[in-house]
Amino acid sequence: MNFRQLDLNLLRVLCAIHRTGSVTEAGRLLALSQSATSNALARLRHCFGDALYVRSPTGLHPTRLAQRVAPLVEAHLRELESQLCLGEDFDPADDCVHWRISLSDLGEMMFLPPLARLLRDAAPGCRLSNESIDAARVNAALEARVIDLAIGMLLPEHQGVESHLLFHERYVAVSDPGWRPVPAGAPGRLSRLQLTQAPLAVAAPSASLLGTVQRILQRLDIGSPPAVRLRHYGAIPDLVAGTDLVAVVPQMFADAMAARHGLQIWDLPEEAGYDVRMVWHRSVNDDPAQRWLREQVRRLFGVVMPHDTDASVGLPQAPRQTASRPAAASSSPSAAGLTG
C-alpha cells in the first residue's frame, strides 16, 4: 500500500468496524451515515489492497491483515491522543470544550438540569450534549470517543473502560395523594397484598430497566401484568395524579415528582434497587477537561468515597453529597449553549 496516500481519518472507521463487526454500528458510533461508512470501507480496501472484512453469519469477519493491523492502529490512536493532551491546562472560566455524555431519558431528567446549571456558572464557554446511545453500545462508544462519559445502570464491560460508583438507588411506589391501599395497612409502606391489588403503571425505557422491574414484581409474587406500560418516565406524574394507578419508580425520580406534583411515596414490601455508575475510557484519565467534568459529576451526584483519587483541576467546586443518594433535581431549566 502507499501510506502517503492514506487518509488518516479512515483509520477511525477501521477501528470502529473492527470493534463492532458492522458497518451500520460503526457508522452510529462515529455519527456517520451507513453510505459514508461503506464508502470509507471501500477506500480502506483500495488503500490496503485487501478485503479487510468479509460477511459472515455473525457479522463482518476480519481478514488476517485486519486482525493484525486494526488493534495496532487503535492502540496508536489512543496513545497519540493521550500524548497530545499531556501538559494541557483547563480553565473552565475561559476554555471552550464540547462534552458529549450519554444519559437515559430518566437520567436526562434527573442529572442534566443540575449539571447544566453548574456548567453555565463555572464553564460558560463550554457545551454539553446528551447523545443517543443504547446502553448496550455505551462501552463501544466510549472506546471510539463518540462520548466522553455515561451515567446510569452501567458496568465497564470493555477493557479500558473505567467506572465510579455514584450511589445506590432503590425502587419505591408513587400514587395520587388521595389513593388508599386495600386493605388498609401500615402508613407509608405497601404490603404484597396491597401491591397485588393496585393497578400498576410501569415505565421501561430500556430492556434492562424493564427486566429489573419485572424481577421485583416476580420476587414479590405479583403475577398480574401492569395496567399501563409506557416507554418513558415523563408521563408518570400525569398518569398517577387523579387516578388509582400506582407506579414503581426509582426513589430519586419519586422525590422530585412528589415535590413538584404532590404525589405520595410508598416503600415496597422488600428492598430492591441498583447501582448508578459513571463510566469513561481510560485514555482520558489524564485529560484535564475530562477530569474536571468527572469531578463535577461526582460532587453533584456521588457519595463521598475515601479512595476517590481522580482529583479535580481548576475552579471552586460544588459541595459533595454525603447521603446515599443525591438530592432530586428541581425543575429543568433551559440553558443557552447546552444541547441534549
Side-chain angles (χ1 to χ4, degrees):
M1 66 167 292
N2 189 340
F3 184 80
R4 297 176 61 184
Q5 294 181 349
L6 175 64
D7 182 350
L8 297 184
N9 289 315
L10 297 177
L11 296 180
R12 294 181 66 240
V13 178
L14 174 69
C15 294
I17 294 176
H18 192 76
R19 192 178 303 116
T20 63
S22 165
V23 169
T24 301
E25 290 300 314
R28 287 175 181 169
L29 283 179
L30 300 174
L32 296 175
S33 67
Q34 184 171 356
S35 60
T37 310
S38 295
N39 181 60
L41 177 57
R43 294 173 62 191
L44 283 165
R45 285 167 168 165
H46 176 74
C47 289
F48 282 94
D50 187 86
L52 295 177
Y53 297 93
V54 294
R55 296 189 182 279
S56 73
T58 58
L60 293 179
H61 185 75
T63 64
R64 293 182 65 184
L65 179 63
Q67 287 178 327
R68 178 172 59 87
V69 170
L72 293 174
V73 170
E74 187 162 21
H76 283 296
L77 287 177
R78 287 178 183 163
E79 179 64 21
L80 176 62
E81 182 178 19
S82 176
Q83 292 300 319
L84 290 175
C85 291
L86 285 178
E88 287 187 355
D89 294 324
F90 174 66
D91 184 352
D94 295 324
D95 289 347
C96 300
V97 174
H98 184 186
W99 287 297
R100 295 174 175 85
I101 64 176
S102 176
L103 303 169
S104 66
D105 75 310
L106 179 60
E108 187 171 79
M109 295 170 66
M110 296 292 98
F111 302 132
L112 191 60
L115 183 58
R117 284 194 294 271
L118 183 146
L119 294 182
R120 295 310 301 155
D121 290 338
C126 296
R127 294 188 295 144
L128 182 68
S129 297
N130 182 24
E131 302 293 340
S132 177
I133 305 291
D134 294 338
R137 296 194 296 114
V138 163
N139 284 269
L142 290 168
E143 286 186 342
R145 291 303 312 279
V146 175
I147 56 174
D148 299 304
L149 64 84
I151 305 172
M153 191 192 305
L154 302 167
L155 291 174
E157 297 174 343
H158 289 198
Q159 185 176 6
V161 175
E162 300 193 357
S163 74
H164 177 86
L165 174 63
L166 293 173
F167 60 93
H168 182 78
E169 180 63 298
R170 71 187 192 109
Y171 283 99
V172 296
V174 293
S175 72
D176 182 85
W179 178 80
R180 294 293 178 266
V182 177
R189 176 178 292 274
L190 297 178
S191 67
R192 283 186 177 84
L193 179 58
Q194 290 170 331
L195 199 57
T196 300
Q197 305 224 4
L200 296 179
V202 174
S206 69
S208 59
L209 283 174
L210 175 59
T212 301
V213 176
Q214 285 179 333
R215 285 193 296 272
I216 292 171
L217 298 179
Q218 289 171 358
R219 192 166 69 240
L220 296 174
D221 198 23
I222 298 173
S224 57
V228 178
R229 177 173 290 165
L230 56 157
R231 292 188 297 113
H232 303 292
Y233 281 91
I236 281 183
D238 291 329
L239 277 174
V240 169
T243 73
D244 62 344
L245 288 170
V246 175
V248 177
V249 299
Q251 184 164 7
M252 187 178 183
F253 178 75
D255 290 341
M257 294 304 100
R260 297 178 201 171
H261 301 278
L263 301 182
Q264 173 72 42
I265 299 178
W266 305 84
D267 288 333
L268 296 178
E270 291 184 7
E271 193 77 16
Y274 57 92
D275 289 336
V276 175
R277 297 178 179 273
M278 171 174 60
V279 294
W280 67 94
H281 196 270
R282 186 179 303 160
S283 62
V284 297
N285 273 354
D286 298 322
D287 183 312
Q290 300 297 335
R291 287 171 53 201
W292 186 88
L293 178 64
R294 293 195 299 272
E295 180 63 16
Q296 308 320 304
V297 171
R298 278 194 292 268
R299 288 178 177 272
L300 281 172
F301 310 118
V303 179
V304 176
M305 297 290 184
H307 60 274
D308 186 357
T309 59
D310 190 7
S312 64
V313 291
L315 289 183
Q317 313 297 336
R320 283 186 178 272
Q321 299 288 341
T322 56
S324 60
R325 290 179 298 106
S330 59
S331 58
S332 173
S334 60
L338 297 168
T339 57

